[in-house]
Amino acid sequence: MAEPASRLQPSEPGPFGAHWDGRGTHFAVFSAHADAMELCLFDHSGRHETARFRFPECTDGIWHGYLPGIRPGQLYGYRAYGPYEPDRGHRFNPHKLLLDPYARQLSGELRWHDALHGYKVGSPREDLSFDRRDSAAYMPKAVVSADHFDWAGDHPPRVPWSDTVIYEMHVRGFTKRRHDLFEHDRGTFGALGSSEVIQYLKGLGVTAVELLPIHAFARDRVLLEQKLTNYWGYNTLAFFAPDPQYLSDGTLGQVKWAVRQLHAAGIEVLLDVVFNHSCEGSERGATLSLRGLDNLSYYRLDPEQRRYCINDTGCGNTLDFRHPRVIQLTLDSLRYWVQEFHVDGFRFDLGVTLGRETHGFDPGAGFFDALMQDPVLSRVKLISEPWDIGPGGYQIGNHPAGMAEWNGRYRDDVRRYWRSDDGLRGALAARLQGSADLFDHHRRRPWASINFVTAHDGFTLHDLVSYEQKHNQANGEDNRDGGDDNLSRNWGVEGETDDAELIDLRDRLKRSFMATLLTSHGTPMLLAGDELGQTQNGNNNAYCQDNELSWLDWSKLDTERGRRMRDFTARLIALRKEWALLRAPRFMHGRGEAELGLPDLLWFDENGRQLVSADWSNPVARLLGVRRAQRSGERVDIAVLLFNADSADHAFELPLPVPEFRVLLDSNEPLRDPPSMSASSYLLAAHSVALISADVDRDTAQRWTVEQQKAADAAAAAANTADEPAPPA
């Protein structure tokens, strides 16, 4: 490596980070309140500081300089000089080596030591004290990198939102127990891009993988001391760098290769990103990067006592998205992952935090405005987790048009329905139709609702029907962590059982959950492993379990139960792709017509009778039928869904007139092809879902309208009521 110059030379103030131009490297970092900034260079081991340079210029809060002779592979960090006045929000301490927020690659690990704190841990003055120990020995170092990769004509699949099926997975956990892969690749992008994994994903039929955080993250000290770790990764240290544990060959190219392989199979890659907080924790946390560079600019602080962080995230600190440099850091990171890694979209953890202005959450917040007009980012898939723990933190349906949102209401209502709670008929109907009550405004589409029953946070699908209580003892918090109300039911036995009837019931319920999810309008999201029967033994907060409790158990595919569930899920996804009525691009309210007199949506009960207002409020009604219809050329497609959350089998009469239907799927009959159906009724087992279809020519459909009107008039006369049909609440 060439010998660097003796000092940093003047340069332009941008771009941020370290950028090699072929003969040297330009460095730039933001701090509005620092008095001085230093660049520190380290040898290849990261243990020895070899040089230190003062930045020669600061323009508009940007410290910048150019160093000839510095090439890719050089390790570096920053030191910031300024006031250490916590009561005023300042926490500068030049004894602490700081990671570049724009670092694109890291070398070494964060090794916890009290020297990483800007104050003396254990001092009576707490964080008002000042620690003079050098932290460099315990810090990872940023690496000057050069982004060169042969994309070989890669093209993003650009799957339409209405056709999207998301599969949420953990890069490490998904492949760690895949014994058909090279051992050194398991748990990394080297495995994710393998032909074996891609063949599995294609066979399942999903169109997008949503990866739990892959940004470099810190492992909490308290967890490491308990022999645990931050498995999920919601503790970001570097927003531009992948975590080194996910790179079996140590190169950024491995991530790009995996993305290219997935794209070639038509599968999009979405990243779960954490910008709401950083790993530096509360005011008593460590000084690793943003806190030491400019605590007052990067974090939201109590305006009355700036010593203290505002904690709307529950993670100790909250990034301040009122500050333009925080918005810029976030957008630059997102754009980098799209342009350099070709990712297809993002899911924003605690997305409400990103829209917080001084007065609270605002869908017109500066970050959202900048994001939605960005020429690169506005063209990829954008998903928000629409809540945080701050004031007014539950904002489902209130994000800007163009974003999708995790629908927690969908999860809760569908769980309650299949748990056989009272009064869920109307709620289920609303969720089946894309949650129009939440999203049908500002010209939004059903895809804005990300429907899910399970996710990384909470029970797996298997555990949802096997446990009524959380069992998180392995997390070391005396079972206090994790949610207490899981809306689950064990159906008589807590945990695993050898009872064949109970096993059959639980498996049927899992299939019914999956059938509900994949026949609902909106965008379905599956949790990786649910299609295999993955269990976490009742642990609903496995964030710290980097072990076989969390890693997918691929041996379940060797069992009949595992294969049956996988095949049933794949069949559902295939049916969703085949039948447009299962993935409507627009909201259906029953006010339109597929053909003259044939409504596009009809709700009915087990007697085939159209539901009226009193039916929706019936607290013990656990049966529901819905008929969807739409014109397709010279024919009319019809799909009928039957739901039975009761403990007894029930025969459903289909609403008149009845053509020759085909039963496409029954969650009680996973092993055989359902028969053709010519009768006007269908016997549906307890806790089951059936999907029935027909397509008829338009002449037949028009003839139906006359017959249907006659039947409706006769029913109205018999009931002697003027009660009008009403949509669900």
Side-chain angles (χ1 to χ4, degrees):
M1 186 174 294
E3 194 70 25
S6 59
R7 64 183 181 85
L8 276 168
Q9 298 177 2
S11 67
E12 295 296 319
F16 287 120
H19 294 269
W20 179 60
D21 66 2
R23 70 178 190 89
T25 301
H26 171 270
F27 296 89
V29 62
F30 168 74
S31 177
H33 298 99
D35 297 328
M37 190 77 63
E38 288 179 338
L39 169 69
C40 302
L41 303 184
F42 291 83
D43 67 4
H44 70 279
S45 70
R47 291 192 292 268
H48 304 289
E49 186 176 324
T50 59
R52 190 180 295 192
F53 305 94
R54 283 267 173 141
F55 277 89
E57 295 181 289
C58 181
T59 305
D60 299 328
I62 304 171
W63 299 84
H64 51 99
Y66 180 81
L67 198 57
I70 297 300
R71 300 176 56 83
Q74 175 66 58
L75 277 55
Y76 73 97
Y78 296 131
R79 297 182 190 272
Y81 293 79
Y84 188 84
E85 299 172 348
D87 286 333
R88 295 179 55 209
H90 298 308
R91 295 181 178 270
F92 293 100
N93 187 334
H95 303 286
K96 310 306 168 184
L97 187 75
L98 306 175
L99 188 67
D100 183 357
Y102 280 73
R104 290 176 286 175
Q105 193 169 1
L106 303 187
S107 176
E109 297 180 350
L110 182 68
R111 297 169 49 230
W112 284 107
H113 189 277
D114 287 351
L116 291 168
H117 292 73
Y119 65 95
K120 294 180 180 178
V121 176
S123 168
R125 300 187 67 237
E126 299 178 332
D127 60 303
L128 297 178
S129 61
F130 189 77
D131 189 280
R132 299 182 182 277
R133 288 173 292 182
D134 194 322
S135 67
Y138 311 102
M139 281 289 295
K141 312 304 185 296
V143 182
V144 177
S145 64
D147 297 315
H148 296 297
F149 182 77
D150 181 7
W151 282 99
D154 173 74
H155 295 288
R158 296 198 181 281
V159 179
W161 262 116
S162 57
D163 296 343
T164 298
V165 178
I166 298 173
Y167 189 72
E168 189 195 34
M169 66 157 69
H170 190 288
V171 170
R172 180 170 169 85
F174 188 68
T175 60
K176 192 63 179 173
R177 298 176 73 179
R178 287 284 303 230
H179 299 299
D180 55 340
L181 304 176
F182 291 117
E183 185 174 0
H184 74 280
D185 278 337
R186 296 174 198 163
T188 73
F189 280 94
L192 183 61
S194 68
S195 59
E196 293 85 351
V197 166
I198 290 177
Q199 182 179 4
Y200 176 82
L201 294 173
K202 285 193 67 175
L204 190 59
V206 298
T207 69
V209 292
E210 182 175 302
L211 308 180
L212 266 67
I214 66 167
H215 289 170
F217 62 93
R219 281 74 175 164
D220 278 0
R221 187 175 188 173
V222 65
L223 290 176
L224 294 176
E225 290 171 351
Q226 299 180 63
K227 309 299 182 185
L228 299 170
T229 189
N230 290 75
Y231 170 62
W232 286 347
Y234 291 92
N235 209 26
T236 307
L237 175 64
F239 300 106
F240 291 75
D243 196 90
Q245 74 165 335
Y246 300 138
L247 308 175
S248 62
D249 65 0
T251 71
L252 302 180
Q254 189 173 80
V255 182
K256 300 175 182 181
W257 169 80
V259 172
R260 187 181 68 188
Q261 298 300 100
L262 288 161
H263 280 181
I267 299 172
E268 295 182 312
V269 179
L270 312 178
L271 301 185
D272 193 338
V273 289
V274 186
F275 292 104
N276 57 82
H277 75 283
S278 81
C279 66
E280 292 183 303
S282 72
E283 59 276 357
R284 297 191 183 185
T287 296
L288 309 175
S289 181
L290 303 180
R291 172 164 290 137
L293 288 169
D294 196 341
N295 184 66
L296 187 59
S297 293
Y298 281 110
Y299 293 116
R300 291 185 64 208
L301 307 178
D302 186 331
E304 303 298 325
Q305 303 179 78
R306 289 187 171 179
R307 173 184 175 185
Y308 301 106
C309 294
I310 289 176
N311 187 19
D312 287 341
T313 64
C315 300
N317 63 58
T318 305
L319 264 67
D320 191 351
F321 276 85
R322 300 169 300 178
H323 198 290
R325 293 302 183 194
V326 173
I327 294 176
Q328 182 180 9
L329 171 68
T330 305
L331 295 177
D332 286 349
S333 169
L334 298 172
R335 208 177 296 111
Y336 173 70
W337 285 96
V338 172
Q339 293 178 324
E340 293 295 335
F341 292 87
H342 289 201
V343 303
D344 304 283
F346 304 93
R347 178 263 188 187
F348 296 100
D349 181 62
L350 300 186
V352 167
T353 298
L354 282 59
R356 284 197 176 274
E357 299 286 358
T358 302
H359 57 276
F361 175 79
D362 185 346
F367 171 73
F368 290 143
D369 286 346
L371 178 68
M372 302 312 294
Q373 63 78 44
D374 188 280
V376 173
L377 301 176
S378 62
R379 300 183 64 188
V380 301
K381 288 183 167 70
L382 302 171
I383 304 169
S384 177
E385 183 183 38
W387 51 78
D388 66 12
I389 68 168
Y394 199 73
Q395 293 290 337
I396 188 168
N398 293 333
H399 282 60
M403 294 189 76
E405 303 174 39
W406 270 28
N407 190 345
R409 289 276 298 278
Y410 182 96
R411 172 199 60 205
D412 296 349
D413 287 343
V414 170
R415 286 186 178 193
R416 288 190 180 101
Y417 176 78
W418 286 114
R419 194 174 65 171
S420 297
D421 286 7
D422 289 344
L424 267 296
R425 179 188 262 173
L428 176 66
R431 304 305 148 232
L432 288 170
Q433 292 305 116
S435 296
D437 55 328
L438 302 174
F439 295 102
D440 190 8
H441 57 83
H442 293 90
R443 305 283 180 162
R444 300 181 80 177
R445 301 290 182 87
W447 58 256
S449 175
I450 303 295
N451 300 331
F452 65 103
V453 174
T454 56
H456 66 274
D457 187 2
F459 281 153
T460 66
L461 184 58
H462 179 84
D463 291 357
L464 186 65
V465 299
S466 305
Y467 295 88
E468 292 188 11
Q469 306 295 327
K470 64 185 181 183
H471 296 269
N472 297 356
Q473 290 82 1
N475 295 355
E477 299 183 42
D478 297 323
N479 206 35
R480 295 188 303 270
D481 64 303
D484 293 318
D485 186 9
N486 298 284
L487 304 176
S488 60
R489 187 172 177 182
N490 64 26
W491 302 94
V493 175
E494 184 73 355
E496 299 304 316
T497 180
D498 294 328
D499 186 316
E501 289 188 7
L502 182 52
I503 290 174
D504 179 69
L505 172 60
R506 288 176 174 177
D507 285 354
R508 190 187 327 150
L509 280 160
K510 288 190 289 184
R511 294 190 295 269
S512 294
F513 270 115
M514 196 69 77
T516 305
L517 176 65
L518 286 162
T519 58
S520 295
H521 290 175
T523 304
M525 185 186 78
L526 288 67
L527 173 64
D530 277 353
E531 78 280 9
L532 307 176
Q534 178 77 9
T535 179
Q536 294 174 173
N537 300 331
N539 191 317
N540 73 351
N541 190 33
Y543 78 103
C544 57
Q545 299 295 331
D546 187 7
N547 50 50
E548 293 191 352
L549 183 72
S550 295
W551 303 339
L552 262 64
D553 182 4
W554 291 98
S555 69
K556 290 187 178 296
L557 276 181
D558 298 329
T559 69
E560 181 181 350
R561 290 180 70 193
R563 290 192 301 271
R564 186 186 305 174
M565 188 66 193
R566 190 272 316 273
D567 293 347
F568 182 81
T569 304
R571 184 175 180 181
L572 268 169
I573 296 174
L575 286 171
R576 183 179 178 89
K577 293 179 179 179
E578 179 182 354
W579 284 84
L581 285 168
L582 304 183
R583 47 179 172 81
R586 290 177 174 80
F587 289 105
M588 299 169 64
H589 295 284
R591 295 190 291 267
E593 293 183 339
E595 190 52 71
L596 183 62
L598 182 67
D600 59 1
L601 185 68
L602 177 72
W603 302 100
F604 60 93
D605 62 13
E606 64 272 27
N607 299 312
R609 183 177 63 85
Q610 185 175 2
L611 297 181
V612 296
S613 297
D615 298 319
W616 292 113
S617 58
N618 184 345
V620 296
R622 296 187 175 88
L623 308 178
L624 180 65
V626 56
R627 186 183 72 193
R628 298 169 180 163
Q630 71 175 17
R631 187 183 303 172
S632 178
E634 291 302 310
R635 303 190 68 79
V636 176
D637 291 336
I638 300 172
V640 174
L641 289 162
L642 307 177
F643 297 86
N644 179 9
D646 199 14
S647 58
D649 300 350
H650 285 276
F652 274 81
E653 293 291 332
L654 302 187
L656 296 174
V658 181
E660 184 172 342
F661 280 105
R662 289 184 301 130
V663 182
L664 297 180
L665 180 134
D666 187 326
S667 61
N668 188 49
E669 299 284 353
L671 294 180
R672 67 182 181 88
D673 291 329
S676 297
M677 174 183 170
S678 57
S680 62
S681 67
Y682 186 79
L683 181 63
L684 185 62
H687 311 293
S688 295
V689 178
L691 170 61
I692 302 170
S693 73
D695 64 282
V696 298
D697 60 76
R698 293 182 61 189
D699 290 340
T700 302
Q702 290 171 2
R703 188 167 63 250
W704 284 356
T705 62
V706 177
E707 298 173 7
Q708 188 171 6
Q709 187 60 50
K710 289 180 180 178
D713 292 343
N720 192 25
T721 178
D723 199 357
E724 293 296 325

